[in-house]
Amino acid sequence: MATNQEHTEYVLRIGDNALILGQRLSEWCGHAPVLEEDMALANMALDLIGQARMLLTRAGALEGEGRDEDRLAFLRTEGHYRNLTLCELPNHDFARTKVRNYLFSTFQVLLLSRLVGSTDAELAAIAGKSLKEARYHQQHSGDWVIRLGDGTEESHRRTQEALDYLWPYTAEFFAPAPGEDAIAAAGIGPAWHELEQSWEAQVHPLMVEATLTVPPRTPFKSYGKFGRHSEHMGHLLATMQYMQRTYPDTQW
Amino acid sequence: MEKKEWPLWEVFIRSRNGLDHKHCGSVHAPDARIALQVARDVYTRRMEGVSIWVVQADHIVASDPDAKPELFDPAEDKIYRHPTFYKLPDEVNHM
Amino acid sequence: MYTQALDIAPKDPDDRASREAENPAYVDEFNARIDAGGFIEPKDWMPEAYRKTLVRQISQHAHSEIVGMLPEGNWITRAPTLKRKAILLAKVQDEGGHGLYLYAACETLGVSRDDLTEALLSGRAKYSSIFNYPTLNWADIGVIGWLVDGAAIMNQIPLCKCSYGPYARAMVRICKEESFHQRQGYDALLQMMKGTKEQREMVQDAVNRWWWPSIMMFGPHDKDSVHVDSMRWGIKRISNDDLRQKFVDATVKQAEVLGVTLPDPALKWNEARGHYDFGAIDWDEFWSVVKGNGQCNVDRLAARRKAWEDGAWVREAAMAFSAKQAARKLAA
């Protein structure tokens, strides 16, 4: 039987991914390579922020300590965020942004497809809505990875570099998390390692089509979803939390 | 670096089933697939559509505005094509 | 969405000559259509000066939208709640969309978006100078929505009926989308004014900084304006001063409801005129900012230039891929 805390943490892991990647993507607004991509990236950020709001609200309700979406989004300390490290890494350039979106949204589609059947009815409803969004993100970012990988010499180099940089962080997607087996047994959602094969089976052919080489797995490990983040996370939070930290207990 | 702009695409949207696709604007995109996606991102942010067509702008053949007289004026005097041309008795006028 | 009724381009000495050289029958037909309140469409014959005026005005308008994404974008990552973050992001994204519609309208006049972008980045083209002011606290976001968008809407509604079809249609779409921008700003300010003393001080500080730049957005006084052709051609339909007065009249009540003071001691109801009187506008400041001496002129253009230059390889890659695809199709 999954404990309430395990259930809460499980939902937080999903919600924090959306929150932190949404925050990163929103940084692009006004700075994209063409106006059309400004629109596309902002749409994705808006989808993710919307997902984060629903998921954090759900997590707060499960936790039962009266924390709403904003208390959870803005007033936790770094070690209490449960997002994948991949989501917090800086955007760097358009190639890294698109490759990350593809790696993440492919994972998200697989996860959400399973959550649609969750015994947590609220989580299932959120997943149903989010799944449509994630599918579009996967399609759009996948199309871009192919174009950038198989575009010019420079775009190929940048995209390969992006994949090389991001790939080690994807191992974290499937690392076992405490309580996951209980969550799976209770039918709340899959243990994430269950998704690994399908994920690899989708990602590899696309990278081949994009003329990119998937690097071999290394012993590198990241631990964002366990609360041990990269150096980038603190800066992201310093910016994101600025208003809530400066003006405590204030309504906006 | 060679200056090469992405082609222009005209965007047509069906706002709901039962209606025609209607021209609503344009986007720049490198190819048809991306054109459809950005058309979606630009022109359906407020539930404006259920179907999108994109057509590369230079594939559209348009009539010459200077040819307006010969193209469109000849229809002007064919008033017998319009139902209001026929005056019928009031009792049957809803025909 | 922001337009500024500002036309500072020098009068083209060739305009009159070229106009006279144009076919008088075409000119008559064009004028007749304008006088009848009709629309001009892209491929229709139009006087070169009309075309140039449109290109200048529409592109200035488009540039303003794009540069206008920056001051507000400055607060997206720091928005105080997730709801406000989503609203702000959606709004700034709308500005990008509006810029896109307007560039497209401008392209129907035979200029490419790349050329227009180049004109902006080189500093040749103008954009609304309101965006050369910095956004310093969160209330600036609300005040920009309320005052800056409010002023812009006053300017824009008449443009929905302007004589050039693609511009008018773009403006209809823009005005429809714009309607939430001013309201969200005012809503954010209302919430702050109900809050702490610190919040109220933030709002007043923002109003103090944005009030005068906002009423400058309507451009020079009618007597100093160079809009004669624009008015005659039905591009601009209401004068700068009339629009400005309408804006001031509408805003005073809104400021009262909000509980903020508009920073103009001369602001007073004039029974005889049926309008509010207001103080003298500091045109020296206005022209100084237009000419590049605002606090953010350099940074704004640098940000646009960086986005464009950093994106060059992406735009190029997509075209290269498209060419490869076409070649593969041919070979298959």
Side-chain angles (χ1 to χ4, degrees), chain A residues 106-176:
Chain A
T106 301
F107 172 76
Q108 219 197 3
V109 166
L110 291 167
L111 176 60
L112 294 169
S113 305
R114 296 283 297 273
L115 292 177
V116 168
S118 172
T119 50
D120 176 343
E122 277 194 51
L123 184 58
I126 297 168
K129 182 180 179 304
S130 310
L131 179 58
K132 298 179 205 161
E133 297 169 344
R135 283 202 172 115
Y136 181 73
H137 300 179
Q138 184 187 20
Q139 186 194 340
H140 186 71
S141 56
D143 284 346
W144 265 110
V145 171
I146 292 168
R147 278 154 185 73
L148 297 177
D150 192 16
T152 60
E153 215 171 289
E154 179 180 8
S155 73
H156 178 82
R157 175 182 58 76
R158 284 175 179 268
T159 314
Q160 184 64 55
E161 277 171 14
L163 184 61
D164 292 345
Y165 178 80
L166 294 168
W167 188 256
Y169 290 96
T170 61
E172 186 187 333
F173 292 8
F174 311 107

Side-chain angles (χ1 to χ4, degrees), chain C residues 117-134:
Chain C
T117 305
E118 163 61 24
L120 172 69
L121 300 185
S122 69
R124 275 184 290 125
K126 296 292 170 197
Y127 56 88
S128 183
S129 46
I130 191 88
F131 303 116
N132 292 320
Y133 293 86

Side-chain angles (χ1 to χ4, degrees), chain C residues 201-214:
Chain C
E201 283 169 1
M202 267 190 243
V203 176
Q204 186 62 54
D205 169 54
V207 170
N208 291 348
R209 282 180 289 110
W210 289 98
W211 171 250
W212 287 105
S214 297

